[in-house]
Amino acid sequence: MLACEIHVTDLGRTYHSAAVEALARFDGDPEPVRRAADLCFETLKVGGVIHAFGSGHSAAGAIELFHRAGGLVPVNGILEAFLSPFLSPGKSGQLERLQGIGPLLVEQWDVLTGEVLIVFSNSGVNPVPVEIATAAQAKNAKVIGVTSLAHAASVPSRHPSGKKLADVADVVIDNGARAGDAAIEYQQGKFAAATSGLVNAYIANRLVAEIVGRYLDAKIDPPVYLSANLPGGDAHNKALEAKFKHRLKGLWR
């Protein structure tokens, strides 16, 4: 990312350049996203679902995949308020560092053999993202980790194993965020304006687009949400949700 002292009037332009640079990386190396889409489609075409999880602000990546216009219906959002900024960040940040929560979430949210869990975690060093990934793998599910390799490389793991999300995921998608996430240096050693949220949203929707393409290649109608604010949207969405109602706990809690 861009990291140089700049004039105040240039800050917005500099962030724009950093954002464009962050997204352009995926044109140069789309292979991890394509491998992730392959894993997702393999489970979806046989009736499985995709599970999406993130804690802290990384939960926004999981939210982007869950129950939204243009998104896939068979996505289970593992969204827990106690691991998000909806709880006091001082509390949720500490809870993310506790051991034992990840395996509990895998059981409670019904991650099954052959399914896919997508874990968003910018640093990937806290116990919850590491343990939810390994607990899913223990059930023979595949794990896609969306993380910053630069951040992960800059700090030690907080898990006793010494492992990070990037060490355990079956497919790793690097969101390209710099260590600390903030992208522009506004004073010597001081940075602002994060890129992980922007890029995670791109990764989520790039995955959706890749998966829809695989449905079309297989001549299968993709289960995609319409906006509820368009004519016929509610009826369309309810009909699709009924097919997956028994698996999508995030819709019915």
Side-chain angles (χ1 to χ4, degrees):
M1 297 302 158
L2 300 180
C4 57
E5 283 204 26
I6 53 180
H7 298 294
V8 172
T9 55
D10 293 330
L11 288 174
R13 187 182 311 124
T14 302
Y15 181 75
H16 178 268
S17 297
V20 170
E21 178 185 334
L23 295 176
R25 294 174 54 254
F26 292 93
D27 286 332
D29 184 22
E31 194 55 33
V33 177
R34 289 174 178 168
R35 292 202 307 272
D38 287 339
L39 289 178
C40 291
F41 182 62
E42 287 301 311
T43 193
L44 292 175
K45 73 180 183 181
V46 295
V49 301
I50 299 167
H51 305 269
F53 170 78
S55 55
H57 280 86
S58 292
I63 292 170
E64 190 66 21
L65 283 167
F66 175 65
H67 196 264
R68 63 154 301 131
L72 293 163
V73 174
V75 174
N76 198 35
I78 302 179
L79 304 171
E80 295 284 1
F82 73 91
L83 290 170
S84 80
F86 292 110
L87 185 69
S88 164
K91 295 177 183 177
S92 61
Q94 291 301 311
L95 290 169
E96 186 183 23
R97 301 179 184 184
L98 294 182
Q99 296 177 55
I101 292 176
L104 180 64
L105 294 177
V106 167
E107 291 299 325
Q108 289 191 341
W109 288 87
D110 201 25
V111 180
L112 300 182
T113 295
E115 294 186 331
V116 173
L117 169 65
I118 303 174
V119 180
F120 293 86
S121 177
N122 198 58
S123 71
V125 301
N126 287 312
V128 170
V130 173
E131 292 187 349
I132 195 172
T134 54
Q137 289 170 327
K139 299 191 75 171
N140 293 315
K142 296 294 185 182
V143 173
I144 298 163
V146 182
T147 189
S148 165
L149 294 182
H151 194 141
S154 71
V155 290
S157 172
R158 290 192 174 110
H159 191 264
S161 69
K163 292 184 177 180
K164 305 168 187 178
L165 177 61
D167 298 321
V168 300
D170 296 288
V171 176
V172 175
I173 301 176
D174 181 12
N175 68 22
R178 65 178 300 279
D181 202 358
I184 56 174
E185 190 172 17
Y186 61 91
Q187 290 178 359
Q188 184 67 37
K190 295 182 179 180
F191 293 81
T195 60
S196 68
L198 169 77
V199 179
N200 287 350
Y202 171 86
I203 290 168
N205 286 289
R206 175 72 178 260
L207 269 174
V208 169
E210 294 272 356
I211 294 165
V212 167
R214 282 153 178 74
Y215 271 101
L216 297 178
D217 287 343
K219 295 181 171 50
I220 304 171
D221 193 29
V224 174
Y225 276 111
L226 292 179
S227 170
N229 298 310
L230 288 176
D234 285 336
H236 171 89
N237 295 339
K238 287 179 180 178
L240 282 175
E241 287 175 345
K243 297 179 180 180
F244 303 98
K245 182 175 181 178
H246 62 297
R247 296 301 324 287
L248 299 180
K249 292 194 172 186
L251 292 177
W252 316 108
R253 294 185 102 197

